[in-house]
Coordinates of all heavy atoms in Angstrom, one line a residue:
A1 N 15.8 -2.3 16.5 CA 14.4 -2.1 16.4 C 13.9 -2.2 14.9 O 14.7 -1.9 14.0 CB 14.1 -0.7 16.9
N2 N 12.8 -2.7 14.8 CA 12.1 -2.9 13.5 C 10.9 -2.0 13.4 O 10.3 -1.7 14.5 CB 11.8 -4.3 13.2 CG 13.0 -5.2 13.1 OD1 13.9 -5.0 12.2 ND2 13.2 -6.2 14.0
T3 N 10.4 -1.7 12.3 CA 9.1 -1.0 12.1 C 8.3 -1.5 11.0 O 8.9 -2.2 10.1 CB 9.4 0.5 11.9 OG1 8.3 1.3 12.0 CG2 10.2 0.8 10.6
I4 N 7.1 -1.2 11.0 CA 6.2 -1.5 9.9 C 5.6 -0.2 9.2 O 5.2 0.7 10.0 CB 5.0 -2.4 10.3 CG1 5.6 -3.8 10.7 CG2 3.9 -2.5 9.3 CD1 4.6 -4.7 11.2
A5 N 5.7 -0.2 7.9 CA 5.1 1.0 7.1 C 3.9 0.5 6.4 O 4.1 -0.1 5.3 CB 6.2 1.5 6.2
P6 N 2.7 0.7 6.9 CA 1.5 0.2 6.3 C 1.1 1.1 5.1 O 1.4 2.3 5.1 CB 0.5 0.3 7.4 CG 0.9 1.4 8.3 CD 2.5 1.4 8.2
G7 N 0.5 0.4 4.2 CA -0.1 1.1 3.0 C -1.5 1.5 3.4 O -1.9 1.8 4.6
T8 N -2.4 1.5 2.4 CA -3.8 1.8 2.6 C -4.5 0.6 3.2 O -4.7 -0.4 2.5 CB -4.5 2.2 1.3 OG1 -3.7 3.2 0.6 CG2 -5.9 2.8 1.5
I9 N -4.8 0.7 4.5 CA -5.4 -0.4 5.2 C -6.8 -0.1 5.6 O -7.0 1.0 6.2 CB -4.6 -0.7 6.5 CG1 -3.1 -1.0 6.3 CG2 -5.2 -1.9 7.3 CD1 -2.8 -2.1 5.3
E10 N -7.7 -0.9 5.1 CA -9.1 -0.6 5.4 C -9.5 -1.1 6.8 O -9.2 -2.2 7.2 CB -10.0 -1.4 4.4 CG -11.5 -1.0 4.5 CD -12.3 -1.4 3.3 OE1 -11.7 -1.6 2.3 OE2 -13.5 -1.5 3.5
T11 N -10.0 -0.1 7.6 CA -10.4 -0.4 8.9 C -11.9 0.1 9.1 O -12.4 0.8 8.2 CB -9.6 0.4 10.0 OG1 -9.8 1.8 9.8 CG2 -8.1 0.2 9.7
P12 N -12.6 -0.3 10.2 CA -13.9 0.3 10.4 C -14.0 1.8 10.4 O -15.0 2.4 10.0 CB -14.3 -0.3 11.8 CG -13.5 -1.6 11.9 CD -12.2 -1.2 11.2
L13 N -12.9 2.4 10.8 CA -12.9 3.9 10.9 C -12.8 4.6 9.6 O -13.4 5.6 9.4 CB -11.7 4.4 11.8 CG -11.6 5.8 12.1 CD1 -12.9 6.3 12.9 CD2 -10.4 6.1 12.9
N14 N -12.1 4.0 8.6 CA -11.9 4.6 7.3 C -12.6 3.9 6.1 O -12.5 4.4 5.0 CB -10.5 4.8 7.0 CG -9.7 3.5 6.7 OD1 -10.3 2.5 6.6 ND2 -8.4 3.6 6.7
S15 N -13.3 2.8 6.3 CA -13.9 2.1 5.2 C -14.9 2.9 4.4 O -14.9 2.8 3.1 CB -14.6 0.8 5.7 OG -15.6 1.1 6.5
D16 N -15.7 3.8 5.0 CA -16.6 4.6 4.2 C -15.9 5.6 3.3 O -16.3 5.8 2.1 CB -17.5 5.4 5.2 CG -18.5 4.5 5.8 OD1 -18.8 3.3 5.4 OD2 -19.1 5.0 6.8
I17 N -14.8 6.1 3.8 CA -14.0 7.1 3.0 C -13.3 6.4 1.8 O -13.4 6.8 0.7 CB -12.9 7.8 3.9 CG1 -13.6 8.6 4.9 CG2 -12.0 8.6 3.0 CD1 -12.7 9.1 6.0
L18 N -12.7 5.2 2.1 CA -12.0 4.5 1.0 C -13.0 4.0 -0.1 O -12.6 4.0 -1.2 CB -11.3 3.3 1.6 CG -10.1 3.6 2.5 CD1 -9.5 2.3 3.1 CD2 -9.1 4.5 1.8
R19 N -14.2 3.7 0.3 CA -15.2 3.2 -0.7 C -15.8 4.3 -1.5 O -16.4 4.1 -2.5 CB -16.3 2.4 0.0 CG -15.7 1.1 0.5 CD -16.8 0.2 1.2 NE -16.1 -0.9 1.8 CZ -16.6 -1.5 2.8 NH1 -17.8 -1.2 3.3 NH2 -16.0 -2.5 3.4
T20 N -15.7 5.6 -1.0 CA -16.3 6.7 -1.8 C -15.4 7.4 -2.7 O -15.8 8.3 -3.5 CB -17.0 7.7 -0.8 OG1 -15.9 8.2 0.1 CG2 -18.1 7.1 0.0
W21 N -14.1 7.0 -2.7 CA -13.1 7.6 -3.7 C -13.6 7.2 -5.1 O -13.8 6.1 -5.3 CB -11.7 7.1 -3.5 CG -11.0 7.6 -2.4 CD1 -11.3 8.7 -1.6 CD2 -9.7 7.2 -1.9 NE1 -10.3 9.0 -0.7 CE2 -9.3 8.0 -0.8 CE3 -8.9 6.1 -2.2 CZ2 -8.2 7.8 -0.1 CZ3 -7.7 6.0 -1.6 CH2 -7.3 6.8 -0.5
G22 N -13.7 8.2 -5.9 CA -14.1 7.9 -7.3 C -12.8 7.3 -8.0 O -11.7 7.6 -7.7
D23 N -13.1 6.5 -9.1 CA -11.9 5.9 -9.8 C -11.1 7.0 -10.5 O -9.9 6.7 -10.8 CB -12.4 4.9 -10.9 CG -12.9 3.6 -10.2 OD1 -12.6 3.4 -9.1 OD2 -13.6 2.9 -10.9
E24 N -11.6 8.2 -10.7 CA -10.8 9.3 -11.3 C -9.9 10.0 -10.3 O -9.1 10.8 -10.7 CB -11.8 10.2 -12.0 CG -12.6 11.1 -11.1 CD -13.8 10.3 -10.5 OE1 -14.2 9.2 -10.9 OE2 -14.4 10.9 -9.5
S25 N -10.1 9.7 -9.1 CA -9.3 10.3 -8.0 C -7.8 10.0 -8.2 O -7.5 8.8 -8.2 CB -9.8 9.9 -6.6 OG -8.8 10.2 -5.7
A26 N -7.0 11.0 -8.3 CA -5.5 10.7 -8.4 C -5.0 9.9 -7.2 O -4.2 9.0 -7.4 CB -4.8 12.0 -8.5
L27 N -5.5 10.2 -6.0 CA -5.0 9.5 -4.8 C -5.4 8.1 -4.9 O -4.6 7.1 -4.6 CB -5.6 10.1 -3.6 CG -5.1 9.6 -2.2 CD1 -3.6 9.7 -2.1 CD2 -5.8 10.3 -1.1
K28 N -6.6 7.8 -5.3 CA -7.0 6.4 -5.5 C -6.2 5.6 -6.5 O -5.8 4.5 -6.4 CB -8.5 6.2 -5.8 CG -9.0 4.8 -5.9 CD -10.5 4.6 -6.0 CE -10.9 3.2 -6.0 NZ -12.3 3.0 -6.1
Q29 N -5.9 6.4 -7.6 CA -5.1 5.8 -8.7 C -3.7 5.4 -8.1 O -3.2 4.3 -8.4 CB -4.9 6.8 -9.8 CG -6.1 7.0 -10.7 CD -6.4 5.8 -11.5 OE1 -5.6 5.2 -12.1 NE2 -7.7 5.3 -11.5
I30 N -3.2 6.2 -7.3 CA -1.8 5.9 -6.8 C -1.8 4.9 -5.7 O -1.0 3.9 -5.8 CB -1.2 7.2 -6.3 CG1 -0.9 8.2 -7.4 CG2 0.1 7.0 -5.6 CD1 -0.6 9.6 -7.0
V31 N -2.6 5.0 -4.7 CA -2.5 4.1 -3.6 C -3.4 2.9 -3.6 O -3.2 2.0 -2.7 CB -2.7 4.9 -2.2 CG1 -1.8 6.0 -2.1 CG2 -4.2 5.4 -2.1
V32 N -4.3 2.8 -4.5 CA -5.2 1.6 -4.5 C -5.1 0.8 -5.8 O -5.0 -0.4 -5.8 CB -6.7 2.1 -4.2 CG1 -7.6 0.9 -4.3 CG2 -6.8 2.8 -2.9
I33 N -5.3 1.5 -7.0 CA -5.4 0.8 -8.2 C -4.1 0.4 -8.9 O -3.9 -0.7 -9.2 CB -6.3 1.7 -9.2 CG1 -7.7 1.8 -8.6 CG2 -6.4 1.0 -10.6 CD1 -8.6 2.8 -9.4
N34 N -3.2 1.4 -9.0 CA -2.0 1.2 -9.8 C -0.8 0.8 -9.0 O 0.2 1.5 -8.9 CB -1.7 2.4 -10.7 CG -2.7 2.6 -11.7 OD1 -2.8 1.7 -12.6 ND2 -3.5 3.6 -11.7
K35 N -0.9 -0.4 -8.4 CA 0.3 -0.9 -7.7 C 0.2 -2.4 -7.9 O -0.8 -2.9 -8.4 CB 0.2 -0.6 -6.2 CG -1.0 -1.1 -5.5 CD -1.0 -0.7 -4.0 CE -2.4 -1.2 -3.4 NZ -2.6 -0.8 -2.1
P36 N 1.2 -3.1 -7.6 CA 1.3 -4.6 -8.0 C 0.1 -5.4 -7.4 O -0.5 -6.3 -8.0 CB 2.6 -5.1 -7.4 CG 3.5 -3.9 -7.5 CD 2.5 -2.7 -7.2
I37 N -0.3 -5.1 -6.1 CA -1.4 -5.8 -5.5 C -2.5 -4.8 -5.3 O -2.4 -3.9 -4.5 CB -1.0 -6.4 -4.2 CG1 0.1 -7.4 -4.3 CG2 -2.2 -7.1 -3.5 CD1 0.7 -8.0 -3.1
R38 N -3.5 -4.8 -6.1 CA -4.5 -3.8 -6.1 C -5.4 -3.9 -4.9 O -5.5 -5.0 -4.3 CB -5.4 -3.9 -7.4 CG -4.7 -3.6 -8.6 CD -5.5 -3.5 -9.8 NE -4.8 -3.0 -10.9 CZ -5.3 -2.5 -12.0 NH1 -6.6 -2.5 -12.1 NH2 -4.5 -2.1 -12.9
G39 N -6.1 -2.8 -4.6 CA -7.0 -2.8 -3.5 C -6.4 -2.3 -2.2 O -5.2 -1.9 -2.2
N40 N -7.2 -2.4 -1.2 CA -6.7 -2.0 0.2 C -6.3 -3.2 0.9 O -6.8 -4.3 0.7 CB -7.8 -1.3 0.9 CG -8.3 -0.1 0.2 OD1 -7.5 0.7 -0.2 ND2 -9.6 0.0 0.0
G41 N -5.4 -3.0 1.9 CA -4.9 -4.1 2.8 C -6.0 -4.2 3.9 O -6.9 -3.4 4.1
A42 N -5.8 -5.2 4.7 CA -6.6 -5.4 5.9 C -5.8 -5.4 7.1 O -4.6 -5.6 7.1 CB -7.3 -6.8 5.8
V43 N -6.5 -5.2 8.2 CA -5.8 -5.2 9.6 C -5.0 -6.4 9.7 O -3.9 -6.5 10.3 CB -6.8 -4.9 10.7 CG1 -6.2 -5.1 12.0 CG2 -7.5 -3.6 10.5
E44 N -5.6 -7.6 9.3 CA -4.9 -8.9 9.4 C -3.6 -8.9 8.7 O -2.6 -9.6 9.1 CB -5.8 -10.0 8.9 CG -7.1 -10.2 9.7 CD -8.2 -9.2 9.4 OE1 -8.1 -8.5 8.4 OE2 -9.1 -9.1 10.2
D45 N -3.4 -8.1 7.6 CA -2.2 -8.1 6.9 C -1.1 -7.5 7.8 O 0.1 -7.9 7.8 CB -2.3 -7.3 5.6 CG -3.3 -7.9 4.6 OD1 -3.3 -9.1 4.5 OD2 -4.0 -7.1 4.0
I46 N -1.4 -6.4 8.5 CA -0.5 -5.8 9.4 C -0.2 -6.7 10.6 O 1.0 -6.9 11.0 CB -1.0 -4.4 9.9 CG1 -1.3 -3.5 8.7 CG2 0.0 -3.8 10.9 CD1 -0.2 -3.2 7.8
A47 N -1.2 -7.3 11.1 CA -1.0 -8.2 12.2 C -0.1 -9.4 11.9 O 0.8 -9.8 12.7 CB -2.4 -8.8 12.7
A48 N -0.1 -9.9 10.6 CA 0.8 -10.9 10.2 C 2.2 -10.5 10.2 O 3.1 -11.2 10.6 CB 0.4 -11.5 8.8
G49 N 2.5 -9.2 9.8 CA 3.8 -8.7 9.8 C 4.3 -8.5 11.2 O 5.5 -8.8 11.5
V50 N 3.5 -8.0 12.1 CA 3.8 -7.9 13.5 C 4.2 -9.2 14.1 O 5.2 -9.4 14.8 CB 2.7 -7.2 14.3 CG1 3.0 -7.2 15.8 CG2 2.5 -5.7 13.8
A51 N 3.3 -10.2 13.8 CA 3.6 -11.6 14.3 C 4.9 -12.1 13.9 O 5.7 -12.7 14.6 CB 2.4 -12.5 14.0
Y52 N 5.2 -11.9 12.6 CA 6.5 -12.3 12.1 C 7.7 -11.6 12.8 O 8.6 -12.3 13.3 CB 6.6 -12.1 10.6 CG 8.0 -12.2 10.1 CD1 8.6 -13.5 10.0 CD2 8.8 -11.1 9.7 CE1 10.0 -13.6 9.6 CE2 10.1 -11.3 9.3 CZ 10.7 -12.5 9.3 OH 12.0 -12.6 8.9
L53 N 7.6 -10.3 12.9 CA 8.7 -9.6 13.5 C 8.9 -10.0 15.0 O 10.0 -9.9 15.5 CB 8.6 -8.1 13.3 CG 8.7 -7.6 11.9 CD1 8.4 -6.1 11.9 CD2 10.2 -7.9 11.5
A54 N 7.8 -10.4 15.6 CA 7.8 -10.8 17.0 C 8.2 -12.2 17.2 O 8.4 -12.7 18.4 CB 6.5 -10.4 17.7
S55 N 8.3 -13.0 16.1 CA 8.5 -14.4 16.2 C 10.0 -14.8 16.3 O 10.8 -14.0 16.0 CB 7.8 -15.1 15.0 OG 8.6 -14.9 13.8
Q56 N 10.2 -16.0 16.6 CA 11.5 -16.6 16.6 C 12.2 -16.6 15.2 O 13.4 -16.5 15.0 CB 11.5 -18.0 17.2 CG 12.9 -18.6 17.5 CD 13.6 -17.8 18.6 OE1 13.1 -16.9 19.3 NE2 14.9 -18.0 18.6
E57 N 11.3 -16.7 14.2 CA 11.8 -16.7 12.8 C 12.5 -15.4 12.4 O 13.3 -15.3 11.5 CB 10.7 -17.0 11.8 CG 10.2 -18.4 11.8 CD 9.2 -18.7 12.9 OE1 8.7 -17.8 13.6 OE2 8.9 -19.9 13.1
A58 N 12.2 -14.3 13.1 CA 12.8 -13.0 12.8 C 13.9 -12.7 13.8 O 14.2 -11.5 14.0 CB 11.7 -11.9 12.8
K59 N 14.4 -13.7 14.5 CA 15.4 -13.4 15.6 C 16.7 -12.7 15.1 O 17.3 -12.0 15.8 CB 15.8 -14.7 16.3 CG 16.6 -15.6 15.4 CD 16.9 -16.9 16.2 CE 17.7 -17.8 15.3 NZ 17.9 -19.1 15.9
Y60 N 17.0 -12.8 13.8 CA 18.2 -12.1 13.3 C 17.8 -10.9 12.4 O 18.6 -10.4 11.7 CB 18.9 -13.2 12.5 CG 20.4 -12.8 12.3 CD1 21.2 -12.7 13.4 CD2 21.0 -12.6 11.1 CE1 22.6 -12.5 13.3 CE2 22.3 -12.4 11.0 CZ 23.1 -12.3 12.1 OH 24.5 -12.0 11.9
V61 N 16.6 -10.5 12.4 CA 16.1 -9.3 11.6 C 16.2 -8.1 12.5 O 15.7 -8.1 13.6 CB 14.7 -9.5 11.2 CG1 14.2 -8.3 10.4 CG2 14.5 -10.8 10.3
S62 N 16.9 -7.1 12.1 CA 17.1 -6.0 12.9 C 17.3 -4.7 12.0 O 17.8 -4.8 10.9 CB 18.4 -6.1 13.7 OG 18.6 -5.0 14.6
A63 N 16.8 -3.6 12.5 CA 16.9 -2.3 11.9 C 16.2 -2.3 10.5 O 16.7 -1.7 9.5 CB 18.3 -1.8 11.8
Q64 N 15.1 -2.9 10.4 CA 14.4 -3.0 9.1 C 13.0 -2.3 9.2 O 12.4 -2.3 10.2 CB 14.1 -4.5 8.7 CG 15.4 -5.3 8.5 CD 16.3 -4.7 7.5 OE1 15.8 -4.4 6.3 NE2 17.5 -4.4 7.8
C65 N 12.6 -1.8 8.0 CA 11.2 -1.3 7.9 C 10.5 -2.2 6.9 O 10.9 -2.3 5.7 CB 11.3 0.1 7.3 SG 9.7 0.8 7.0
L66 N 9.5 -2.9 7.4 CA 8.7 -3.8 6.7 C 7.5 -3.1 6.0 O 6.6 -2.6 6.7 CB 8.2 -5.0 7.6 CG 7.4 -6.0 6.9 CD1 8.1 -6.7 5.7 CD2 7.0 -7.1 7.9
A67 N 7.6 -2.8 4.7 CA 6.5 -2.2 4.0 C 5.4 -3.2 3.7 O 5.6 -4.1 3.0 CB 7.0 -1.5 2.8
I68 N 4.2 -3.0 4.3 CA 3.1 -3.8 4.0 C 2.1 -2.9 3.3 O 1.2 -2.4 3.9 CB 2.5 -4.4 5.3 CG1 3.6 -5.2 6.1 CG2 1.3 -5.3 5.0 CD1 3.1 -5.7 7.4
D69 N 2.3 -2.8 2.0 CA 1.6 -1.8 1.2 C 1.2 -2.2 -0.2 O 0.9 -1.4 -1.0 CB 2.4 -0.5 1.1 CG 3.7 -0.7 0.4 OD1 4.0 -1.8 -0.1 OD2 4.4 0.3 0.3
G70 N 1.2 -3.5 -0.4 CA 0.7 -4.0 -1.7 C 1.7 -3.7 -2.8 O 1.4 -3.7 -4.0
G71 N 2.9 -3.3 -2.5 CA 3.9 -3.0 -3.5 C 4.0 -1.5 -3.8 O 4.8 -1.1 -4.7
L72 N 3.3 -0.7 -3.1 CA 3.3 0.8 -3.4 C 4.7 1.4 -3.4 O 5.1 2.2 -4.2 CB 2.4 1.5 -2.5 CG 2.2 3.0 -2.7 CD1 1.7 3.3 -4.1 CD2 1.4 3.6 -1.6
T73 N 5.5 1.1 -2.4 CA 6.8 1.7 -2.2 C 7.7 1.3 -3.4 O 8.7 2.0 -3.7 CB 7.5 1.3 -0.9 OG1 7.5 -0.1 -0.7 CG2 6.7 2.0 0.3
G74 N 7.4 0.2 -4.0 CA 8.3 -0.3 -5.2 C 7.7 0.2 -6.5 O 8.3 -0.1 -7.5
T75 N 6.7 1.0 -6.5 CA 6.0 1.4 -7.7 C 6.4 2.9 -8.0 O 6.4 3.7 -7.1 CB 4.5 1.4 -7.6 OG1 4.1 0.0 -7.2 CG2 3.7 1.8 -8.8
R76 N 6.7 3.1 -9.3 CA 7.0 4.5 -9.7 C 5.9 5.0 -10.6 O 6.1 4.9 -11.8 CB 8.4 4.5 -10.3 CG 9.5 4.0 -9.4 CD 10.8 4.0 -10.0 NE 11.3 5.3 -10.2 CZ 12.2 5.7 -10.9 NH1 12.9 4.8 -11.6 NH2 12.6 7.0 -11.1
F77 N 4.8 5.4 -10.0 CA 3.6 5.7 -10.7 C 3.2 7.1 -10.6 O 3.4 7.7 -9.5 CB 2.5 4.8 -10.2 CG 1.1 5.3 -10.6 CD1 0.6 5.0 -11.9 CD2 0.4 6.0 -9.8 CE1 -0.6 5.4 -12.2 CE2 -0.9 6.5 -10.1 CZ -1.4 6.2 -11.4
V78 N 2.7 7.7 -11.6 CA 2.1 9.1 -11.5 C 0.9 9.1 -12.3 O 0.8 8.4 -13.4 CB 3.1 10.2 -12.1 CG1 4.3 10.3 -11.2 CG2 3.5 9.9 -13.5
P79 N -0.2 9.8 -11.9 CA -1.4 9.9 -12.7 C -1.1 10.7 -14.0 O -0.2 11.5 -14.1 CB -2.3 10.8 -11.8 CG -1.7 10.9 -10.5 CD -0.3 10.6 -10.7
D80 N -1.8 10.4 -15.1 CA -1.5 10.9 -16.4 C -2.4 12.2 -16.6 O -3.3 12.1 -17.4 CB -1.7 9.9 -17.4 CG -1.0 10.3 -18.8 OD1 -0.3 11.2 -18.7 OD2 -1.4 9.6 -19.8
G81 N -2.0 13.2 -15.9 CA -2.7 14.5 -16.2 C -4.2 14.5 -16.0 O -4.7 13.9 -15.0
D82 N -5.0 15.1 -16.9 CA -6.4 15.2 -16.8 C -7.1 14.1 -17.6 O -8.3 14.2 -18.0 CB -6.9 16.5 -17.3 CG -6.4 17.7 -16.4 OD1 -6.2 17.4 -15.2 OD2 -6.1 18.8 -16.9
A83 N -6.4 13.0 -17.9 CA -6.9 12.0 -18.8 C -7.9 11.0 -18.1 O -8.2 10.0 -18.7 CB -5.7 11.2 -19.4
G84 N -8.2 11.3 -16.9 CA -9.1 10.5 -16.2 C -8.4 9.3 -15.5 O -7.2 9.5 -15.1
P85 N -9.0 8.1 -15.4 CA -8.4 7.0 -14.7 C -7.3 6.3 -15.5 O -7.4 5.1 -15.7 CB -9.6 6.1 -14.3 CG -10.6 6.4 -15.4 CD -10.4 7.8 -15.8
T86 N -6.4 7.1 -16.0 CA -5.3 6.4 -16.7 C -4.0 6.8 -15.9 O -4.0 7.7 -15.1 CB -5.2 6.9 -18.2 OG1 -4.9 8.3 -18.1 CG2 -6.4 6.7 -18.9
A87 N -2.9 6.1 -16.2 CA -1.7 6.3 -15.5 C -0.5 6.0 -16.4 O -0.6 5.4 -17.4 CB -1.7 5.4 -14.3
R88 N 0.6 6.4 -15.9 CA 1.9 6.0 -16.6 C 2.9 5.8 -15.4 O 2.8 6.3 -14.3 CB 2.4 7.1 -17.5 CG 2.7 8.4 -16.8 CD 3.1 9.5 -17.8 NE 3.3 10.7 -17.2 CZ 4.3 11.2 -16.6 NH1 5.4 10.4 -16.5 NH2 4.4 12.4 -16.0
F89 N 3.8 4.9 -15.7 CA 4.8 4.6 -14.8 C 6.1 5.3 -15.2 O 6.4 5.4 -16.4 CB 5.1 3.1 -14.7 CG 3.9 2.3 -14.0 CD1 2.8 1.9 -14.7 CD2 4.0 2.1 -12.7 CE1 1.8 1.3 -14.1 CE2 3.0 1.5 -12.0 CZ 1.9 1.1 -12.7
I90 N 6.8 5.8 -14.2 CA 8.0 6.6 -14.5 C 9.1 5.6 -15.0 O 9.3 4.6 -14.3 CB 8.5 7.3 -13.2 CG1 7.4 8.3 -12.8 CG2 9.8 8.1 -13.5 CD1 7.7 8.9 -11.4
E91 N 9.7 5.9 -16.1 CA 10.8 5.1 -16.6 C 12.1 5.7 -16.2 O 12.3 6.9 -16.1 CB 10.7 5.0 -18.1 CG 9.4 4.5 -18.6 CD 9.2 3.0 -18.3 OE1 10.2 2.3 -18.2 OE2 8.0 2.6 -18.2
D92 N 13.1 4.9 -16.0 CA 14.5 5.4 -15.7 C 15.1 5.9 -16.9 O 14.9 5.6 -18.0 CB 15.4 4.2 -15.1 CG 15.0 4.0 -13.7 OD1 14.5 4.9 -13.0 OD2 15.3 2.9 -13.2

């Protein structure tokens, strides 16, 4: 079995909420702004991943979690305290 782990995906149900987050919001900083691909994903992004996993091209793909999140799972980001819309990335 395979699965998809979506990031922040804009839908008709949540678009008003996503657009009202202020830039100083720590949550917006983490899941929208400070990741390799900025912004929100679209339903079509998830559909493309589903289509791939259901296709013949993925016939040998098994036991995988496909993160469709703009790179969020690969980002080691934390908001930088009370400094407003700034951020720092965690270093090893």
